[in-house]
Amino acid sequence: AIATFAFIMLFSGVIAWIGIPGVVIFALLMFFSLPLMVMAPQMLPQAYQDYFLPWLPMRFLYEGIREILYFKAGFLNQNTWSLIIVAGIGLLMFFLETFGKRHQKTFI
């Protein structure tokens, strides 16, 4: 639930900030995160591990679930805190753009 909320907040913040071109960014992110759902990160090509994997926001979800299930980590591990920070950044972007000067005339 935290990962879903973080992704939705990040998506909403980027869409509010840059508009419809943000959809293309998230479509590419989802396209490049599909191999993570299919196979373990260690089985991915080295170039994918080095260049694409660190930039994917869904990486925190997969690593957090792996730590909870296999390594007996607690619920509030480092990946969960990363997702909470990502959700906070998305929420901040959304509110700053929504209540910014550009939209001030519509509220008055």
Short mmCIF file of all heavy atoms in Angstrom, two decimals, residues 3-61:
data_model
loop_
_atom_site.label_atom_id
_atom_site.label_comp_id
_atom_site.label_asym_id
_atom_site.label_seq_id
_atom_site.Cartn_x
_atom_site.Cartn_y
_atom_site.Cartn_z
N ALA A 3 3.89 1.50 -1.28
CA ALA A 3 4.49 1.62 -2.60
C ALA A 3 3.49 2.17 -3.61
O ALA A 3 3.83 3.02 -4.45
CB ALA A 3 5.01 0.27 -3.07
N THR A 4 2.26 1.73 -3.54
CA THR A 4 1.23 2.23 -4.44
C THR A 4 0.97 3.71 -4.19
O THR A 4 0.88 4.51 -5.13
CB THR A 4 -0.07 1.43 -4.26
OG1 THR A 4 0.21 0.05 -4.48
CG2 THR A 4 -1.14 1.90 -5.22
N PHE A 5 0.87 4.10 -2.92
CA PHE A 5 0.66 5.50 -2.59
C PHE A 5 1.84 6.35 -3.05
O PHE A 5 1.66 7.45 -3.59
CB PHE A 5 0.46 5.65 -1.08
CG PHE A 5 0.25 7.07 -0.65
CD1 PHE A 5 -0.93 7.73 -0.95
CD2 PHE A 5 1.22 7.74 0.07
CE1 PHE A 5 -1.12 9.04 -0.56
CE2 PHE A 5 1.04 9.05 0.46
CZ PHE A 5 -0.14 9.70 0.15
N ALA A 6 3.07 5.85 -2.87
CA ALA A 6 4.25 6.59 -3.30
C ALA A 6 4.27 6.78 -4.81
O ALA A 6 4.55 7.88 -5.31
CB ALA A 6 5.52 5.87 -2.85
N PHE A 7 3.92 5.73 -5.55
CA PHE A 7 3.92 5.84 -7.00
C PHE A 7 2.83 6.79 -7.48
O PHE A 7 3.06 7.60 -8.38
CB PHE A 7 3.74 4.45 -7.62
CG PHE A 7 3.89 4.46 -9.12
CD1 PHE A 7 5.15 4.58 -9.68
CD2 PHE A 7 2.80 4.34 -9.93
CE1 PHE A 7 5.31 4.59 -11.05
CE2 PHE A 7 2.94 4.35 -11.30
CZ PHE A 7 4.19 4.47 -11.87
N ILE A 8 1.65 6.72 -6.88
CA ILE A 8 0.56 7.61 -7.27
C ILE A 8 0.89 9.06 -6.95
O ILE A 8 0.62 9.97 -7.74
CB ILE A 8 -0.76 7.17 -6.61
CG1 ILE A 8 -1.25 5.88 -7.25
CG2 ILE A 8 -1.83 8.25 -6.73
CD1 ILE A 8 -2.42 5.25 -6.56
N MET A 9 1.49 9.31 -5.80
CA MET A 9 1.87 10.68 -5.44
C MET A 9 2.96 11.21 -6.36
O MET A 9 2.92 12.37 -6.78
CB MET A 9 2.34 10.76 -3.99
CG MET A 9 1.22 10.72 -2.98
SD MET A 9 0.16 12.17 -3.05
CE MET A 9 -1.17 11.62 -4.08
N LEU A 10 3.94 10.38 -6.69
CA LEU A 10 4.99 10.80 -7.62
C LEU A 10 4.40 11.08 -9.00
O LEU A 10 4.73 12.08 -9.63
CB LEU A 10 6.08 9.72 -7.70
CG LEU A 10 7.32 10.08 -8.48
CD1 LEU A 10 8.05 11.24 -7.82
CD2 LEU A 10 8.24 8.88 -8.57
N PHE A 11 3.52 10.23 -9.46
CA PHE A 11 2.86 10.41 -10.75
C PHE A 11 2.02 11.69 -10.74
O PHE A 11 2.11 12.50 -11.68
CB PHE A 11 1.99 9.19 -11.05
CG PHE A 11 1.33 9.23 -12.39
CD1 PHE A 11 2.06 9.02 -13.54
CD2 PHE A 11 -0.03 9.49 -12.50
CE1 PHE A 11 1.45 9.06 -14.78
CE2 PHE A 11 -0.64 9.53 -13.73
CZ PHE A 11 0.10 9.31 -14.88
N SER A 12 1.24 11.91 -9.70
CA SER A 12 0.40 13.11 -9.62
C SER A 12 1.24 14.37 -9.54
O SER A 12 0.90 15.39 -10.16
CB SER A 12 -0.51 13.03 -8.39
OG SER A 12 -1.37 11.94 -8.48
N GLY A 13 2.33 14.32 -8.79
CA GLY A 13 3.20 15.49 -8.68
C GLY A 13 3.86 15.86 -10.00
O GLY A 13 3.91 17.03 -10.37
N VAL A 14 4.33 14.86 -10.74
CA VAL A 14 4.98 15.12 -12.02
C VAL A 14 3.96 15.60 -13.04
O VAL A 14 4.23 16.53 -13.81
CB VAL A 14 5.75 13.88 -12.51
CG1 VAL A 14 6.23 14.04 -13.94
CG2 VAL A 14 6.92 13.60 -11.59
N ILE A 15 2.78 15.01 -13.05
CA ILE A 15 1.74 15.44 -13.99
C ILE A 15 1.31 16.87 -13.68
O ILE A 15 1.10 17.68 -14.58
CB ILE A 15 0.53 14.48 -13.94
CG1 ILE A 15 0.93 13.11 -14.46
CG2 ILE A 15 -0.64 15.03 -14.75
CD1 ILE A 15 1.35 13.07 -15.89
N ALA A 16 1.16 17.23 -12.41
CA ALA A 16 0.80 18.59 -12.04
C ALA A 16 1.92 19.57 -12.39
O ALA A 16 1.66 20.73 -12.73
CB ALA A 16 0.47 18.68 -10.55
N TRP A 17 3.15 19.11 -12.32
CA TRP A 17 4.29 19.99 -12.53
C TRP A 17 4.57 20.24 -14.01
O TRP A 17 4.69 21.38 -14.45
CB TRP A 17 5.50 19.40 -11.84
CG TRP A 17 6.72 20.24 -11.84
CD1 TRP A 17 6.80 21.60 -11.71
CD2 TRP A 17 8.06 19.78 -12.01
NE1 TRP A 17 8.11 22.00 -11.77
CE2 TRP A 17 8.91 20.90 -11.95
CE3 TRP A 17 8.62 18.53 -12.17
CZ2 TRP A 17 10.28 20.81 -12.06
CZ3 TRP A 17 9.99 18.44 -12.27
CH2 TRP A 17 10.80 19.57 -12.22
N ILE A 18 4.69 19.15 -14.81
CA ILE A 18 5.05 19.34 -16.22
C ILE A 18 3.92 19.02 -17.19
O ILE A 18 4.07 19.23 -18.38
CB ILE A 18 6.31 18.54 -16.59
CG1 ILE A 18 6.09 17.04 -16.46
CG2 ILE A 18 7.48 18.97 -15.80
CD1 ILE A 18 7.24 16.22 -17.00
N GLY A 19 2.82 18.49 -16.71
CA GLY A 19 1.67 18.24 -17.58
C GLY A 19 1.70 16.87 -18.24
O GLY A 19 2.30 15.92 -17.74
N ILE A 20 1.08 16.80 -19.40
CA ILE A 20 0.90 15.54 -20.11
C ILE A 20 2.22 14.88 -20.52
O ILE A 20 2.29 13.65 -20.55
CB ILE A 20 -0.02 15.76 -21.34
CG1 ILE A 20 -1.40 16.22 -20.88
CG2 ILE A 20 -0.14 14.51 -22.19
CD1 ILE A 20 -2.13 15.22 -20.01
N PRO A 21 3.30 15.61 -20.82
CA PRO A 21 4.55 14.91 -21.14
C PRO A 21 5.06 14.01 -20.00
O PRO A 21 5.86 13.11 -20.21
CB PRO A 21 5.55 16.04 -21.42
CG PRO A 21 4.70 17.15 -21.91
CD PRO A 21 3.42 17.04 -21.14
N GLY A 22 4.57 14.23 -18.78
CA GLY A 22 4.94 13.37 -17.67
C GLY A 22 4.44 11.95 -17.84
O GLY A 22 5.02 11.00 -17.29
N VAL A 23 3.37 11.78 -18.61
CA VAL A 23 2.84 10.44 -18.87
C VAL A 23 3.87 9.62 -19.64
O VAL A 23 4.04 8.43 -19.39
CB VAL A 23 1.50 10.53 -19.63
CG1 VAL A 23 1.00 9.16 -20.03
CG2 VAL A 23 0.47 11.25 -18.79
N VAL A 24 4.57 10.26 -20.58
CA VAL A 24 5.59 9.56 -21.35
C VAL A 24 6.72 9.09 -20.44
O VAL A 24 7.22 7.96 -20.58
CB VAL A 24 6.13 10.48 -22.47
CG1 VAL A 24 7.28 9.82 -23.21
CG2 VAL A 24 5.02 10.85 -23.43
N ILE A 25 7.10 9.92 -19.49
CA ILE A 25 8.17 9.56 -18.55
C ILE A 25 7.77 8.31 -17.77
O ILE A 25 8.55 7.37 -17.65
CB ILE A 25 8.47 10.73 -17.61
CG1 ILE A 25 9.07 11.89 -18.39
CG2 ILE A 25 9.40 10.30 -16.48
CD1 ILE A 25 9.18 13.17 -17.61
N PHE A 26 6.55 8.28 -17.26
CA PHE A 26 6.13 7.14 -16.47
C PHE A 26 5.85 5.91 -17.32
O PHE A 26 6.00 4.79 -16.84
CB PHE A 26 4.93 7.50 -15.60
CG PHE A 26 5.35 8.27 -14.38
CD1 PHE A 26 5.35 9.65 -14.38
CD2 PHE A 26 5.80 7.61 -13.26
CE1 PHE A 26 5.76 10.36 -13.29
CE2 PHE A 26 6.21 8.30 -12.15
CZ PHE A 26 6.20 9.67 -12.16
N ALA A 27 5.47 6.10 -18.57
CA ALA A 27 5.32 4.95 -19.46
C ALA A 27 6.68 4.30 -19.70
O ALA A 27 6.80 3.07 -19.69
CB ALA A 27 4.70 5.38 -20.78
N LEU A 28 7.72 5.11 -19.87
CA LEU A 28 9.07 4.56 -20.04
C LEU A 28 9.56 3.89 -18.76
O LEU A 28 10.19 2.83 -18.82
CB LEU A 28 10.04 5.66 -20.46
CG LEU A 28 9.90 6.15 -21.90
CD1 LEU A 28 10.78 7.37 -22.14
CD2 LEU A 28 10.24 5.04 -22.87
N LEU A 29 9.27 4.49 -17.61
CA LEU A 29 9.67 3.87 -16.35
C LEU A 29 8.99 2.51 -16.16
O LEU A 29 9.62 1.56 -15.72
CB LEU A 29 9.34 4.78 -15.17
CG LEU A 29 10.26 5.96 -14.95
CD1 LEU A 29 9.73 6.84 -13.83
CD2 LEU A 29 11.66 5.49 -14.62
N MET A 30 7.72 2.43 -16.50
CA MET A 30 7.02 1.15 -16.37
C MET A 30 7.54 0.13 -17.39
O MET A 30 7.65 -1.05 -17.09
CB MET A 30 5.51 1.34 -16.55
CG MET A 30 4.87 2.11 -15.42
SD MET A 30 5.13 1.36 -13.81
CE MET A 30 4.11 -0.08 -13.96
N PHE A 31 7.90 0.60 -18.59
CA PHE A 31 8.45 -0.30 -19.60
C PHE A 31 9.77 -0.90 -19.13
O PHE A 31 10.02 -2.10 -19.28
CB PHE A 31 8.63 0.45 -20.92
CG PHE A 31 9.29 -0.38 -21.98
CD1 PHE A 31 8.59 -1.37 -22.63
CD2 PHE A 31 10.62 -0.15 -22.32
CE1 PHE A 31 9.19 -2.13 -23.61
CE2 PHE A 31 11.24 -0.91 -23.30
CZ PHE A 31 10.52 -1.90 -23.95
N PHE A 32 10.63 -0.06 -18.55
CA PHE A 32 11.93 -0.56 -18.11
C PHE A 32 11.87 -1.31 -16.78
O PHE A 32 12.80 -2.01 -16.42
CB PHE A 32 12.94 0.58 -18.01
CG PHE A 32 13.42 1.06 -19.35
CD1 PHE A 32 13.16 2.35 -19.76
CD2 PHE A 32 14.10 0.22 -20.19
CE1 PHE A 32 13.60 2.80 -21.00
CE2 PHE A 32 14.55 0.65 -21.42
CZ PHE A 32 14.29 1.94 -21.83
N SER A 33 10.77 -1.19 -16.04
CA SER A 33 10.66 -1.94 -14.79
C SER A 33 9.99 -3.31 -14.99
O SER A 33 9.96 -4.11 -14.06
CB SER A 33 9.89 -1.13 -13.74
OG SER A 33 8.55 -0.96 -14.13
N LEU A 34 9.50 -3.60 -16.17
CA LEU A 34 8.88 -4.90 -16.42
C LEU A 34 9.85 -6.07 -16.23
O LEU A 34 9.44 -7.10 -15.67
CB LEU A 34 8.27 -4.94 -17.82
CG LEU A 34 6.95 -4.19 -17.97
CD1 LEU A 34 6.50 -4.22 -19.41
CD2 LEU A 34 5.90 -4.76 -17.07
N PRO A 35 11.11 -5.99 -16.65
CA PRO A 35 12.00 -7.13 -16.39
C PRO A 35 12.20 -7.42 -14.91
O PRO A 35 12.48 -8.56 -14.54
CB PRO A 35 13.33 -6.70 -17.04
CG PRO A 35 12.95 -5.72 -18.08
CD PRO A 35 11.75 -5.02 -17.54
N LEU A 36 12.05 -6.42 -14.07
CA LEU A 36 12.17 -6.67 -12.63
C LEU A 36 11.07 -7.57 -12.12
O LEU A 36 11.26 -8.33 -11.18
CB LEU A 36 12.12 -5.34 -11.87
CG LEU A 36 13.45 -4.68 -11.61
CD1 LEU A 36 13.22 -3.37 -10.91
CD2 LEU A 36 14.33 -5.55 -10.79
N MET A 37 9.88 -7.47 -12.72
CA MET A 37 8.77 -8.31 -12.28
C MET A 37 8.92 -9.74 -12.75
O MET A 37 8.38 -10.65 -12.14
CB MET A 37 7.45 -7.74 -12.82
CG MET A 37 7.04 -6.46 -12.19
SD MET A 37 5.40 -6.03 -12.70
CE MET A 37 5.67 -4.39 -13.27
N VAL A 38 9.65 -9.95 -13.83
CA VAL A 38 9.75 -11.27 -14.43
C VAL A 38 10.88 -12.09 -13.83
O VAL A 38 10.73 -13.28 -13.60
CB VAL A 38 9.92 -11.13 -15.95
CG1 VAL A 38 10.10 -12.47 -16.62
CG2 VAL A 38 8.74 -10.40 -16.54
N MET A 39 12.02 -11.46 -13.55
CA MET A 39 13.17 -12.23 -13.08
C MET A 39 13.89 -11.49 -11.95
O MET A 39 13.66 -10.33 -11.71
CB MET A 39 14.13 -12.52 -14.23
CG MET A 39 14.72 -11.31 -14.88
SD MET A 39 15.83 -11.68 -16.25
CE MET A 39 14.72 -12.38 -17.43
N ALA A 40 14.73 -12.22 -11.29
CA ALA A 40 15.51 -11.65 -10.19
C ALA A 40 16.51 -10.63 -10.74
O ALA A 40 17.00 -10.79 -11.86
CB ALA A 40 16.26 -12.76 -9.46
N PRO A 41 16.80 -9.59 -9.97
CA PRO A 41 17.75 -8.57 -10.46
C PRO A 41 19.12 -9.13 -10.79
O PRO A 41 19.82 -8.61 -11.66
CB PRO A 41 17.84 -7.58 -9.30
CG PRO A 41 16.61 -7.77 -8.52
CD PRO A 41 16.22 -9.21 -8.69
N GLN A 42 19.54 -10.21 -10.12
CA GLN A 42 20.84 -10.79 -10.40
C GLN A 42 20.89 -11.48 -11.76
O GLN A 42 21.96 -11.71 -12.30
CB GLN A 42 21.21 -11.82 -9.31
CG GLN A 42 21.45 -11.20 -7.96
CD GLN A 42 20.15 -10.91 -7.21
OE1 GLN A 42 19.08 -11.33 -7.60
NE2 GLN A 42 20.26 -10.16 -6.12
N MET A 43 19.74 -11.83 -12.32
CA MET A 43 19.69 -12.49 -13.61
C MET A 43 19.60 -11.51 -14.77
O MET A 43 19.68 -11.91 -15.93
CB MET A 43 18.50 -13.45 -13.66
CG MET A 43 18.61 -14.60 -12.68
SD MET A 43 17.17 -15.65 -12.69
CE MET A 43 17.23 -16.31 -14.34
N LEU A 44 19.45 -10.23 -14.47
CA LEU A 44 19.37 -9.22 -15.52
C LEU A 44 20.76 -8.94 -16.09
O LEU A 44 21.77 -9.16 -15.42
CB LEU A 44 18.79 -7.93 -14.94
CG LEU A 44 17.36 -8.02 -14.44
CD1 LEU A 44 16.98 -6.76 -13.70
CD2 LEU A 44 16.42 -8.25 -15.60
N PRO A 45 20.83 -8.46 -17.32
CA PRO A 45 22.14 -8.12 -17.90
C PRO A 45 22.85 -7.05 -17.06
O PRO A 45 22.21 -6.23 -16.40
CB PRO A 45 21.79 -7.58 -19.29
CG PRO A 45 20.43 -8.09 -19.58
CD PRO A 45 19.75 -8.28 -18.28
N GLN A 46 24.15 -7.06 -17.11
CA GLN A 46 24.94 -6.13 -16.30
C GLN A 46 24.66 -4.67 -16.66
O GLN A 46 24.62 -3.81 -15.78
CB GLN A 46 26.44 -6.45 -16.46
CG GLN A 46 27.32 -5.73 -15.47
CD GLN A 46 27.03 -6.17 -14.04
OE1 GLN A 46 26.72 -7.33 -13.78
NE2 GLN A 46 27.15 -5.24 -13.12
N ALA A 47 24.47 -4.37 -17.93
CA ALA A 47 24.17 -2.99 -18.34
C ALA A 47 22.84 -2.53 -17.73
O ALA A 47 22.73 -1.38 -17.30
CB ALA A 47 24.12 -2.90 -19.86
N TYR A 48 21.87 -3.41 -17.69
CA TYR A 48 20.58 -3.06 -17.09
C TYR A 48 20.74 -2.82 -15.59
O TYR A 48 20.16 -1.88 -15.04
CB TYR A 48 19.58 -4.19 -17.35
CG TYR A 48 18.18 -3.85 -16.95
CD1 TYR A 48 17.33 -3.23 -17.85
CD2 TYR A 48 17.70 -4.13 -15.68
CE1 TYR A 48 16.04 -2.90 -17.50
CE2 TYR A 48 16.41 -3.79 -15.31
CZ TYR A 48 15.59 -3.19 -16.23
OH TYR A 48 14.31 -2.85 -15.87
N GLN A 49 21.53 -3.66 -14.93
CA GLN A 49 21.77 -3.48 -13.49
C GLN A 49 22.50 -2.18 -13.20
O GLN A 49 22.24 -1.54 -12.18
CB GLN A 49 22.58 -4.65 -12.93
CG GLN A 49 21.84 -5.94 -12.87
CD GLN A 49 22.71 -7.06 -12.32
OE1 GLN A 49 23.77 -6.82 -11.77
NE2 GLN A 49 22.26 -8.29 -12.50
N ASP A 50 23.41 -1.79 -14.06
CA ASP A 50 24.22 -0.60 -13.81
C ASP A 50 23.52 0.70 -14.17
O ASP A 50 23.68 1.71 -13.48
CB ASP A 50 25.54 -0.68 -14.59
CG ASP A 50 26.43 -1.80 -14.06
OD1 ASP A 50 26.24 -2.23 -12.90
OD2 ASP A 50 27.31 -2.24 -14.83
N TYR A 51 22.75 0.71 -15.27
CA TYR A 51 22.23 1.98 -15.78
C TYR A 51 20.74 2.19 -15.56
O TYR A 51 20.32 3.33 -15.37
CB TYR A 51 22.54 2.09 -17.28
CG TYR A 51 24.02 2.08 -17.56
CD1 TYR A 51 24.60 1.03 -18.24
CD2 TYR A 51 24.84 3.10 -17.10
CE1 TYR A 51 25.96 1.00 -18.48
CE2 TYR A 51 26.20 3.08 -17.33
CZ TYR A 51 26.75 2.03 -18.03
OH TYR A 51 28.09 2.01 -18.25
N PHE A 52 19.92 1.17 -15.63
CA PHE A 52 18.48 1.35 -15.50
C PHE A 52 17.96 1.10 -14.10
O PHE A 52 17.10 1.82 -13.60
CB PHE A 52 17.72 0.44 -16.48
CG PHE A 52 17.93 0.81 -17.91
CD1 PHE A 52 18.55 -0.06 -18.78
CD2 PHE A 52 17.51 2.03 -18.39
CE1 PHE A 52 18.76 0.28 -20.09
CE2 PHE A 52 17.70 2.39 -19.71
CZ PHE A 52 18.34 1.51 -20.57
N LEU A 53 18.45 0.09 -13.46
CA LEU A 53 17.93 -0.32 -12.15
C LEU A 53 18.02 0.76 -11.08
O LEU A 53 17.06 0.96 -10.33
CB LEU A 53 18.64 -1.60 -11.71
CG LEU A 53 18.03 -2.36 -10.55
CD1 LEU A 53 16.60 -2.77 -10.87
CD2 LEU A 53 18.84 -3.58 -10.24
N PRO A 54 19.12 1.52 -10.96
CA PRO A 54 19.16 2.54 -9.91
C PRO A 54 18.15 3.67 -10.08
O PRO A 54 17.82 4.35 -9.12
CB PRO A 54 20.59 3.09 -10.00
CG PRO A 54 21.37 2.03 -10.66
CD PRO A 54 20.42 1.35 -11.60
N TRP A 55 17.63 3.88 -11.29
CA TRP A 55 16.71 4.98 -11.53
C TRP A 55 15.24 4.60 -11.43
O TRP A 55 14.38 5.48 -11.53
CB TRP A 55 16.98 5.56 -12.92
CG TRP A 55 18.30 6.22 -13.00
CD1 TRP A 55 19.47 5.67 -13.43
CD2 TRP A 55 18.61 7.54 -12.58
NE1 TRP A 55 20.48 6.56 -13.32
CE2 TRP A 55 19.99 7.73 -12.80
CE3 TRP A 55 17.87 8.58 -12.03
CZ2 TRP A 55 20.62 8.92 -12.50
CZ3 TRP A 55 18.51 9.76 -11.74
CH2 TRP A 55 19.87 9.92 -11.97
N LEU A 56 14.93 3.35 -11.24
CA LEU A 56 13.54 2.92 -11.22
C LEU A 56 12.94 3.09 -9.82
O LEU A 56 13.47 2.58 -8.84
CB LEU A 56 13.43 1.45 -11.63
CG LEU A 56 13.82 1.15 -13.07
CD1 LEU A 56 13.78 -0.35 -13.31
CD2 LEU A 56 12.92 1.87 -14.03
N PRO A 57 11.82 3.79 -9.72
CA PRO A 57 11.20 3.95 -8.40
C PRO A 57 10.59 2.66 -7.87
O PRO A 57 10.46 2.49 -6.65
CB PRO A 57 10.13 5.02 -8.61
CG PRO A 57 9.90 5.09 -10.07
CD PRO A 57 11.13 4.58 -10.73
N MET A 58 10.25 1.72 -8.73
CA MET A 58 9.66 0.46 -8.28
C MET A 58 10.70 -0.46 -7.67
O MET A 58 10.37 -1.46 -7.06
CB MET A 58 8.96 -0.24 -9.45
CG MET A 58 7.78 0.54 -10.01
SD MET A 58 6.56 0.98 -8.77
CE MET A 58 5.74 -0.55 -8.58
N ARG A 59 11.97 -0.12 -7.82
CA ARG A 59 13.05 -0.93 -7.24
C ARG A 59 12.91 -1.03 -5.73
O ARG A 59 13.17 -2.07 -5.14
CB ARG A 59 14.39 -0.30 -7.62
CG ARG A 59 15.58 -0.91 -6.95
CD ARG A 59 16.85 -0.21 -7.39
NE ARG A 59 16.83 1.21 -7.11
CZ ARG A 59 17.40 1.76 -6.03
NH1 ARG A 59 18.02 1.01 -5.17
NH2 ARG A 59 17.34 3.06 -5.84
N PHE A 60 12.46 0.05 -5.10
CA PHE A 60 12.31 0.05 -3.64
C PHE A 60 11.24 -0.96 -3.20
O PHE A 60 11.37 -1.60 -2.17
CB PHE A 60 11.96 1.44 -3.13
CG PHE A 60 13.00 2.46 -3.42
CD1 PHE A 60 12.75 3.51 -4.27
CD2 PHE A 60 14.25 2.35 -2.84
CE1 PHE A 60 13.72 4.45 -4.54
CE2 PHE A 60 15.23 3.29 -3.10
CZ PHE A 60 14.97 4.35 -3.95
N LEU A 61 10.19 -1.10 -4.00
CA LEU A 61 9.15 -2.07 -3.69
C LEU A 61 9.71 -3.49 -3.74
O LEU A 61 9.52 -4.27 -2.81
CB LEU A 61 7.99 -1.93 -4.67
CG LEU A 61 6.95 -3.04 -4.66
CD1 LEU A 61 6.17 -3.04 -3.37
CD2 LEU A 61 6.03 -2.92 -5.85
#
